[in-house]
Amino acid sequence: MEMPAERRAGGAASAGAGRRRPLLVLRVVGALLLLGMGEIHLFLVLTGTGGLLGASFVVNAVASLVLAVALVVTREKLLLVSALSLLLVLGTLLALLIALTPTGLFGLRSSLDYTLAPTSVVVESIGVVVLATTTVLAFRMRGR
């Protein structure tokens, strides 16, 4: 028995949508992780982290918010937005990991005992994986 043309066409359309659904889920999860990272840094500023480190935390929080919104709403520039988001999260994670070493980062040393440091490592590590996957899928989907 042959399948009607309407059902075959609907199946092809839903297959295309099926390929985009994982990308949409990754975009939303990536945005939530960006917001979480930004919230952690804003919390640290509001609870006493000042100076140059505090200013960089505020920049991180603002950039996280802007990129989280862009990651969800953009379509044409998704590859650019996901790559920039990945760079922000990866750079933030690397800065924290270097600050955890005995030599520190620019003379600043941190510890896993510092407020929200373990949470930051977890959120940012998951963010790197999610945003790297999002970037790869956006690269593969460009032009479609």
Side-chain angles (χ1 to χ4, degrees):
M1 176 179 234
E2 191 172 328
M3 185 183 296
E6 304 87 44
R7 290 190 71 195
R8 284 193 305 252
S14 63
R19 283 188 221 116
R20 288 187 177 89
R21 184 165 290 125
L23 183 58
L24 177 61
V25 170
L26 286 168
R27 290 167 62 185
V28 170
V29 171
L32 291 172
L33 290 163
L34 280 164
L35 290 173
M37 182 181 77
E39 187 276 329
I40 288 169
H41 286 87
L42 187 58
F43 174 83
L44 293 172
V45 169
L46 295 175
T47 56
T49 302
L52 184 57
L53 184 60
S56 70
F57 282 8
V58 170
V59 170
N60 184 290
V62 171
S64 295
L65 175 63
V66 169
L67 287 170
V69 171
L71 194 60
V72 173
V73 301
T74 191
R75 291 178 66 120
E76 287 77 29
K77 302 286 185 184
L78 179 59
L79 179 59
L80 175 64
V81 171
S82 63
L84 289 174
S85 300
L86 174 61
L87 288 174
L88 177 66
V89 174
L90 183 60
T92 303
L93 176 61
L94 289 175
L96 175 56
L97 293 177
I98 292 169
L100 290 171
T101 65
T103 56
L105 178 67
F106 305 121
L108 299 171
R109 285 185 287 160
S110 189
S111 156
L112 287 175
D113 295 330
Y114 189 69
T115 306
L116 294 174
T119 305
S120 293
V121 171
V122 171
V123 168
E124 292 161 14
S125 296
I126 295 170
V128 166
V129 173
V130 168
L131 291 167
T133 306
T134 305
T135 302
V136 168
L137 286 178
F139 179 76
R140 289 183 179 173
M141 297 286 291
R142 74 183 194 282
R144 288 186 186 178

